[in-house]
Amino acid sequence: MNPLILLAASYLLGATPTSYWVGRWFYGRDLRTEGSGNLGATNTYRTLGWKAALPVALADIAKGYVPVAVFPALHGDAPWTWALGYGAASILGHVFSFWVGFKGGKGVATAAGAFVAIAPWAFLMALATFTVVVFASRMVSLGSLSAAVAVPVGVYLLPHRGGPEVLYFSVALALFVFWSHRENIRRILTGEENRFGSRPEPGDATHG
């Protein structure tokens, strides 16, 4: 199969607005207008609870995992590095979904799924970092930022698929995560960031 078709398929898979559809179909609510307004598992949890957030999180992770783990086997002789492009396209689809006006989540869960396929040891290192930081700070955004830094460190130190291009990809992804969390970073620095367990006010674009 043509890698360009798979690249488009990766974007379409990533663009599937899981949390939006869960909110609409099962709760009759539009998560774009509630909580942070972000279409991610965190805002789903804060707005609808864990029963809604768990399938959203798993689906968002799968959106990153499938293009990287499965699609390369479909493109024949194309270089393996296309897998990184598929992962990037899926993440961009999640953040900029055409279904919902090119909006979406922050891409963290989808990026996690991609790295489960590319560098599982680095993923586990990032997951441990995320867990410790969220537990200590009660800020999901700070945990996500810390995990984004841990991924390239883990890729550099631990075994993974591919060569140095994976490290470059992980650094670029970390920078993208910091960009997508730029408002969260501002609030962290001013002490205004929402903490886990509290509910953001409507219109407050916190992490989600």
Side-chain angles (χ1 to χ4, degrees):
M1 185 177 293
N2 191 313
L4 294 178
I5 295 176
L6 293 172
L7 197 67
S10 299
Y11 170 80
L12 292 174
L13 181 61
T16 305
T18 316
S19 60
Y20 173 75
W21 287 348
V22 166
R24 277 294 200 187
W25 293 347
F26 296 101
Y27 297 88
R29 296 165 68 177
D30 186 347
L31 293 183
R32 295 175 300 176
T33 63
E34 297 194 44
S36 68
N38 290 312
L39 296 178
T42 303
N43 192 41
T44 304
Y45 172 77
R46 288 176 177 153
T47 306
L48 302 177
W50 71 268
K51 290 183 179 179
L54 181 59
V56 167
L58 293 176
D60 287 350
I61 290 171
K63 291 192 299 187
Y65 177 81
V66 171
V68 176
V70 177
F71 286 6
L74 304 177
H75 67 198
D77 295 332
W80 176 85
T81 48
W82 273 98
L84 301 179
Y86 302 151
S90 181
I91 294 165
L92 290 173
H94 178 73
V95 177
F96 305 107
S97 172
F98 74 96
W99 289 100
V100 285
F102 294 96
K103 297 180 180 179
K106 298 293 180 71
V108 175
T110 304
F115 272 94
V116 170
I118 300 170
W121 291 111
F123 163 77
L124 290 175
M125 180 175 173
L127 179 62
T129 301
F130 174 85
T131 303
V132 169
V133 172
V134 171
F135 181 80
S137 68
R138 293 176 50 236
M139 288 188 286
V140 176
S141 55
L142 185 59
S144 297
L145 293 166
S146 301
V149 173
V151 168
V153 174
V155 168
Y156 181 77
L157 296 175
L158 302 169
H160 57 81
R161 294 178 65 187
E165 69 277 359
V166 177
L167 178 60
Y168 306 149
F169 177 71
S170 67
V171 171
L173 182 60
L175 293 174
F176 180 76
V177 169
F178 270 72
W179 175 82
S180 70
H181 286 75
R182 58 196 181 280
E183 288 300 317
N184 302 87
I185 294 171
R186 179 188 63 78
R187 286 191 297 272
I188 290 170
L189 294 175
T190 58
E192 300 172 348
E193 178 66 321
N194 188 67
R195 293 181 182 271
F196 195 78
S198 62
R199 293 183 178 274
E201 295 296 326
D204 175 24
T206 54
H207 179 89

